[in-house]
Amino acid sequence: MLAESIRREAETLDGAQIAAEIKREVAAEVVQLAETYGFHPCLAVVRVGDDAASEIYVSNKVKTSNELGLISEHHVLPASTSQTELLAIINDLNNRDNVDGILVQLPLPEHLNSIQILEAIDPEKDVDGFHPLNVGRLAQGLDALAPCTPAGIIELLERYKIETRGKHAVVVGRSNIVGRPMAQMLLKKDATVTITHIFTENLAYYTSQADILVVAVGKIGLITGEHLKTGATVIDVGMNRIADAAEARSLFADSELEKRLAIIAKNGSTLIGDVNQREAMPKAGRITPVPGGVGLLTVAMLMKNTIKAAKIRRFRQAVTK
């Protein structure tokens, strides 16, 4: 009885460790491609405007590309860039044989049509996995360039040897970036999948049945103890900021609380996902931290997608020529 009352906290799924493994593998593949075939894969990143968050994200992607030996191009365009001008740049990147991956950083300025821009990217260079052709292939269970965040989650589950076949996976969130493709990829891994979202009535009814719970909504503390099945694997994709110390005390487990309070005192805020860690840690079997969980995997998988895109396009061309 005493052992039950002091049940240990959930195992932390270390996204940083898995991301580092993936990046080491990518770096090794870059060396092999250079030595065997004489080229370094190239990732072209396009950013429009001065969004501060986008600038940080793009800088991180370009830095990681360079660290792993990829060739990186960073196209920074003014916020006044027109639809026609941006489409012309994408068309040029599509037609260049030395460019293997193209990423247009979102969000774009409001006057630009994001859907049209993403559809203009060559599907074979669509390393974000957002083109309708890649989305359709993913929905059919075929090989595709898949969105990086859900692809990273699959890598995490596989490398921690977390069984998906026959398990009930519940996805909270229905975005085209995470929720929908996540469900498709879990189905391909033979999980039984339920998709929910922020408007689902009696959300806890569904989430409390999940062996694997993936939460990607962007709402602080959405998932509490009542939402969890004992021993569940919880993947927290949310990325939010809190600045209130009292709120932090209600959300972070004791093992994490003092560190987070210190961060708030120093920086004014700290990161947290969609899961109430204080309530989830004693009940879940495994859980991803925020930060240090899914976010790091996203960039690593972008690098892996660039290698994949390079192999698909260049090796087919080499065979047909």
Side-chain angles (χ1 to χ4, degrees):
M1 184 66 71
L2 178 61
E4 292 180 1
S5 65
I6 56 172
R7 184 183 181 276
R8 65 175 178 80
E9 289 189 343
E11 175 190 359
T12 297
L13 298 175
D14 190 345
Q17 175 185 322
I18 302 303
E21 288 179 8
I22 294 169
K23 288 192 284 188
R24 283 195 297 269
E25 293 164 5
V26 168
E29 286 203 75
V30 170
V31 171
Q32 183 181 26
L33 289 171
E35 292 178 348
T36 307
Y37 299 100
F39 75 92
H40 288 254
C42 174
L43 172 64
V45 182
V46 180
R47 176 169 64 86
V48 184
D50 303 314
D51 182 81
S54 292
E55 184 176 355
I56 293 171
Y57 295 148
V58 168
S59 176
N60 190 22
K61 291 167 184 175
V62 171
K63 178 184 176 183
T64 303
S65 298
N66 293 332
E67 289 174 349
L68 302 185
L70 295 163
I71 296 172
S72 64
E73 294 188 5
H74 186 186
H75 300 265
V76 182
L77 309 175
S80 59
T81 300
S82 70
Q83 187 86 356
T84 300
E85 290 169 332
L86 182 52
L87 286 171
I89 290 171
I90 292 172
N91 185 58
D92 177 64
L93 295 173
N94 284 340
N95 291 327
R96 283 174 48 194
D97 282 340
N98 66 320
V99 173
D100 298 291
I102 302 170
L103 182 154
V104 176
Q105 183 65 42
L106 302 177
L108 292 170
E110 291 185 0
H111 69 280
L112 296 175
N113 184 328
S114 299
I115 294 175
Q116 185 182 25
I117 295 300
L118 294 177
E119 289 183 353
I121 298 172
D122 182 344
E124 291 188 340
K125 298 185 179 186
D126 169 38
V127 288
D128 255 341
F130 295 159
H131 191 281
L133 181 61
N134 285 318
V135 173
R137 289 185 63 85
L138 189 65
Q140 289 182 303
L142 301 174
D143 187 43
L145 289 169
C148 298
T149 299
I153 292 169
I154 293 296
E155 289 277 350
L156 184 76
L157 295 173
E158 289 179 345
R159 294 180 190 233
Y160 269 100
K161 302 187 186 308
I162 297 170
E163 185 62 68
T164 55
R165 174 169 290 178
K167 301 300 181 181
H168 188 186
V170 177
V171 179
V172 187
R174 55 183 175 177
S175 74
N176 292 329
I177 297 173
V178 181
R180 294 172 193 259
M182 185 78 258
Q184 298 291 350
M185 296 178 81
L186 285 166
L187 280 171
K188 190 174 181 180
K189 294 289 291 181
D190 299 322
T192 299
V193 181
T194 299
I195 304 176
T196 65
H197 47 79
I198 197 67
F199 299 112
T200 298
E201 293 185 3
N202 195 9
L203 180 63
Y205 170 79
Y206 301 98
T207 60
S208 61
Q209 300 176 46
D211 301 302
I212 300 169
L213 178 64
V214 182
V215 190
V217 174
K219 183 175 176 59
I220 295 172
L222 173 67
I223 301 301
T224 63
E226 71 165 339
H227 292 84
L228 300 179
K229 178 180 181 179
T230 300
T233 295
V234 180
I235 309 296
D236 191 352
V237 188
M239 189 70 72
N240 313 292
R241 285 195 173 273
I242 60 169
D244 183 71
E247 186 179 17
R249 290 188 178 91
S250 70
L251 292 169
F252 290 108
D254 290 339
S255 59
E256 184 80 0
L257 181 58
E258 291 306 316
K259 181 177 77 172
R260 295 310 188 101
L261 291 175
I263 292 173
I264 291 174
K266 180 180 179 181
N267 300 330
S269 65
T270 190
L271 289 173
I272 191 169
D274 294 343
V275 177
N276 183 317
Q277 293 184 11
R278 189 170 191 83
E279 296 188 17
M281 288 296 285
K283 195 168 184 181
R286 305 177 185 91
I287 192 168
T288 57
V290 179
V294 174
L296 297 170
L297 292 165
T298 301
V299 175
M301 291 307 297
L302 173 64
M303 304 299 121
K304 187 168 183 174
N305 268 0
T306 303
I307 296 291
K308 181 175 181 177
K311 287 180 175 180
I312 292 172
R313 188 177 60 87
R314 291 182 187 248
F315 291 171
R316 187 196 65 250
Q317 288 180 350
V319 170
T320 57
K321 285 182 180 178

